[in-house]
């Protein structure tokens, strides 16, 4: 007998015998019968069994069971059918008191959620988060593959390949010291130059950052793309715009039930996401919110306010900020005039979810930029070297997958969008 | 004017003006005209220009250029059209002598290939390898998503999460010591137990192995799947069988031209891949090849011979070996009788490309197995703990993506299937 998924159990199965498998979601013992809610990856169904038949079955919440039974019509909270149990078999026992309850929809504290990750992920109001994440990742790939991009796999153990700075994790690599890649930046540029022209990668990146905020992870999934033969960063912004339209459309198709049930809101992506320059952003912050940012960069509160502005005045939950000053961008950012760069960030619902821009493709300009930033180009030889041999004008971007998920779903903390997050304190589970 | 890809330049464009962009593949100067072969990611086309018009253009092989010109009919080696140049513009110069030639199809030594990776990947007989790899990865996902699997992203910085042994890379994680994940094994099991039931991940894994052979990489891409509610390992073998059929079909659809041009052979996957037990494999080796393996395991030569046997006697390039002894399998492998396990390997053209099997889902059995293997279960607490709370019978497998690519294409060394391989000696580029 073949197992049937619970979501497929509809009225047309009434009077048929079925085999279902799953977890015991809830047990309710009445005088003569016991109701067992059974949960599998697709849904929950009510099963009913005589108390006599179940006397010797040691059932607990979260036991794994299989049930053969007959489908009958019913009026219960979950659906209009139920399963009358003919045979029940325990596949895996529960040996201990559950540290958290799975079968209620109540919120739990972040630490409790992450300490008991396997159990907290069984809660339906948490489980769907990582399904949304998976759909976003696959949507990213689908869109880009159709547009002629090639998927790449670049090393995470690197030597020259790190952009540098203080947020590198060190690694002993046999006799050498190596680092964990902060991004695939240099390698994706190299793959454009290797003739693939348009490339993407979805992979972990690593930041040894000390701060412990709701928006930071020390290991996260970066969705990167890089493409050659562009005019400037506007080409990259355009492709991100189209990509986001595709992603939200896909989510709408595959997650509409969840959207209603868990009350999140899949955003509408404008045909053309509005953009303002970094300078304009600072003026807007001052004029509309009387906020003067002491630093050159925009802090999280500024990002919130710029989002407020975009929503209120531009009718968009997304807004690009362009033309960042050189001092705020890395050595490979293509300069624009004396002080600016061909660069952009994308703010979505008050959080930066993308950094991108055009890169330098001229060898001399690149080497000089390294020097101007106080870096020794010879420490990056295997990267700079390639610019001697014909590299097309190019640019790209990176989207933080957990941040995107977090912002779409309105999660309080980006850690909720990671199955097993790594942060300043957490290496387990 | 919009750029057109070279592969799209067919007869219907004759007499039209087009814009193409790419690399100078080859230059041939005749008395009055110069022929320039231009290469982009899609192909090569011949362009022709008056010597007078090109006098002041500093062209070299691998310069990046854009050309506006008229398409005319032609009879050249590459196609039945060529482009008469009206305007040529250099987008990126070549500043140095090329360390290797790009425009010949000659083989180069592995070290030379990897030292000059960006240039060697421009060679068309090398470039396509990583396209095949990308297609295999996306095919793996497509097949599994359609079959109800959820993509997962599990941590690569781990503490409890490593299987242990001597091949771990150590990492300083703030005040702690951590490891790079050798596989997502524990975490993919945990995600099955978290209610996703059927999960997959394509991600890097890390092995600090000292040996330096044609089949080993210290960082490689593992295609993992894990699924719950199985009967035994045969369910996993069945899904791999179907998956391989899908992958080879997809390759045939997308890579038939390359298959002919570069003379590889996409294998036929039998409807049911034959399987023999480990014990039978040893008997076959002795009987047919007079080979007695001193070790319990099969060495690379044994794998070659078993492949010979499968091809000759079973008409298959794939063969499963099942029922490995407990001593050869990790602590989580489901025992079969006293001494064996519910496990398998898949040999393809003489190389193991998959290890898989059923896992233990009973807490007591698992803890005892740790102890029997001489391991302290308390060092793996965040993993073993979950088996107290209802884990369905489950199993899974891992396919090495570079090995699979290598074997399909008949490459000499698995490093050729990695853009930037990491091995005992190599951290650059």
């Amino acid at each position: 007998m073949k197992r049937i998924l619970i979501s497929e159990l509809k009225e047309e199965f009434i009077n048929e015998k079925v085999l279902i498998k799953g977890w015991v979601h809830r047990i309710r013992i009445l005088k003569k019968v016991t109701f067992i809610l059974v949960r599998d990856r697709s849904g929950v169904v009510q099963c009913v069994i005589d108390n006599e038949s179940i006397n010797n079955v040691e059932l607990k919440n979260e036991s794994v069971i299989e049930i053969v039974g007959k489908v009958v019509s019913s009026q219960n909270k979950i659906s209009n059918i139920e399963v009358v149990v003919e045979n029940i078999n325990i596949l895996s026992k529960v040996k201990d008191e559950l540290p958290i309850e799975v079968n209620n929809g109540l919120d739990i504290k972040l630490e409790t959620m992450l300490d008991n990750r396997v159990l907290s992920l069984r809660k339906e109001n948490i489980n769907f988060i990582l399904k949304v994440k998976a759909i976003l990742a696959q949507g990213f790939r689908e869109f880009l593959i159709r547009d002629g991009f090639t998927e790449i796999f670049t090393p995470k153990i690197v030597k020259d390949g790190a952009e540098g700075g203080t947020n590198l994790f060190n690694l002993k690599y046999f006799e050498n010291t190596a680092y964990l890649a902060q991004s695939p930046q240099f390698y994706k540029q190299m793959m454009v130059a290797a003739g693939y022209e348009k490339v993407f990668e979805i992979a972990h990146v690593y930041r040894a950052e000390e701060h412990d905020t709701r928006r930071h992870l020390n290991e996260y999934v970066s969705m990167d793309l890089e493409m050659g033969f562009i005019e400037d960063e506007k080409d990259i912004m355009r492709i991100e715009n189209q990509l986001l339209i595709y992603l939200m459309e896909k989510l709408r198709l595959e997650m509409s039930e969840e959207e209603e049930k868990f009350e999140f809101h899949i955003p509408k992506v404008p045909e053309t996401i509005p953009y303002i320059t970094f300078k304009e952003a600072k003026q807007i912050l001052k004029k509309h919110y009387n906020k003067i940012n002491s630093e050159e960069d925009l802090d999280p509160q500024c990002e919130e306010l710029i989002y407020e502005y975009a929503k209120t005045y531009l009718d968009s939950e997304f807004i690009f900020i362009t033309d960042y000053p050189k001092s705020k961008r890395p050595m490979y950012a293509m300069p624009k005039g004396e002080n600016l760069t061909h660069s952009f960030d994308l703010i979505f619902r008050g959080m930066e979810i993308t950094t991108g821009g055009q890169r330098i493709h001229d060898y001399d300009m690149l080497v000089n930029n390294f020097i101007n930033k106080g870096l020794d180009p010879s420490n990056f030889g295997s990267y700079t070297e390639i610019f001697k041999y014909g590299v097309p004008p190019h640019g790209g971007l990176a989207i933080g997958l957990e941040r995107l998920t977090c912002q779409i779903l309105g999660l309080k903390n980006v850690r909720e969008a990671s199955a097993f997050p790594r942060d300043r304190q957490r290496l387990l589970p």
Side-chain angles (χ1 to χ4, degrees), chain A residues 84-128:
Chain A
V84 180
V85 178
E86 298 184 0
N87 197 9
I88 182 168
N89 183 19
I90 298 194
L91 296 174
S92 177
K93 283 185 190 164
V94 169
K95 295 185 65 75
D96 237 345
E97 290 302 312
L98 298 176
I100 63 168
E101 274 186 55
V102 170
N103 60 11
N104 67 33
L106 299 180
D107 284 344
I108 47 177
K109 269 171 47 184
L110 184 67
E111 288 306 301
T112 311
M113 181 195 298
L114 298 178
D115 287 342
N116 303 283
R117 196 50 164 154
V118 167
L119 287 173
S120 70
L121 282 171
R122 290 186 192 170
K123 290 168 75 80
E124 59 169 4
N125 59 334
I126 295 180
N127 186 277
F128 81 99

Side-chain angles (χ1 to χ4, degrees), chain A residues 132-149:
Chain A
V132 167
K133 183 181 182 181
I135 290 168
L136 292 171
Q138 184 62 2
F140 182 88
R141 297 184 192 106
E142 283 169 4
F143 177 86
L144 294 176
I145 289 171
R146 282 179 210 171
D147 200 40
F149 281 74

Side-chain angles (χ1 to χ4, degrees), chain A residues 206-420:
Chain A
Y206 304 92
R207 307 278 169 102
E209 281 168 353
E210 295 275 347
H211 34 260
D212 204 355
T213 78
R214 65 171 281 261
R215 48 168 75 198
H216 285 94
L217 290 168
N218 294 101
E219 176 182 52
Y220 70 90
V221 178
S222 183
M223 304 201 291
D224 274 88
L225 68 84
E226 195 78 14
M227 62 191 284
F229 299 107
I230 62 169
E231 285 303 314
D232 57 30
E233 77 283 9
K234 295 283 191 306
D235 285 338
I236 309 296
M237 291 158 64
R238 243 186 312 271
I239 205 166
E240 176 160 32
N241 200 152
Q242 290 157 10
L243 170 65
L244 287 169
I245 289 173
Y246 180 85
L247 288 182
M248 298 313 144
E249 205 49 57
K250 185 177 168 82
L251 265 193
R252 225 165 263 127
L253 277 171
E254 300 185 29
M255 284 277 142
S256 58
E257 261 181 56
E258 286 80 357
E259 186 181 16
E260 196 170 325
K261 191 165 181 183
F262 303 113
E263 296 179 341
F264 61 92
H265 174 56
I266 300 170
K268 191 179 161 301
V269 186
E271 276 305 309
T272 305
I273 295 175
Y275 55 93
I276 55 175
T277 64
F278 180 74
K279 196 176 161 192
E280 286 166 346
K282 293 185 77 169
Q283 288 163 349
I284 286 164
L285 287 167
K286 188 167 174 232
K287 183 177 159 203
H288 289 268
Y289 306 100
N290 199 27
K291 164 95 179 164
I292 297 166
N293 207 16
S294 53
E295 279 188 83
E296 273 287 276
D297 213 356
L298 301 181
D299 64 24
Q301 201 206 338
C302 290
E303 292 181 3
E304 287 285 354
L305 294 173
I306 289 293
Y307 162 62
E308 279 305 311
Y309 173 82
K311 213 173 62 168
T312 311
Y313 297 99
L314 306 170
D315 191 29
S316 174
E317 299 196 281
F318 298 86
I319 183 167
F320 282 118
I321 301 180
T322 65
D323 296 48
Y324 280 82
K326 267 186 188 175
S327 58
K328 288 287 142 196
R329 293 304 226 195
M331 57 285 193
Y332 50 78
M334 178 64 91
K336 185 175 187 174
E338 195 66 22
N339 300 314
L340 305 179
T341 55
H342 283 279
S343 61
F344 65 89
D345 276 8
L346 179 63
I347 313 278
F348 167 45
R349 291 183 180 163
M351 200 191 283
E352 175 241 300
I353 58 160
T354 297
T355 295
Q358 183 176 1
R359 330 297 187 184
I360 296 171
H361 61 277
D362 179 83
Y363 177 78
D364 295 324
M365 187 192 283
L366 185 64
V367 167
N368 283 329
N369 236 32
F370 269 84
I371 294 166
N372 292 339
K373 286 267 184 188
L375 297 163
D376 180 353
S378 69
N379 289 339
F380 303 86
S382 68
Y383 168 66
T384 55
E385 188 74 5
I386 63 160
F387 294 88
K388 290 181 182 169
Y389 305 115
V391 176
H394 66 286
L397 59 79
I399 303 176
L401 177 55
E402 289 85 358
R403 281 195 178 185
L404 180 62
T405 309
C406 175
Q407 292 305 88
I408 290 171
L409 299 180
L411 306 177
K412 290 197 199 81
N413 194 305
V414 72
R415 288 165 178 75
E416 296 177 53
S418 175
F420 303 97

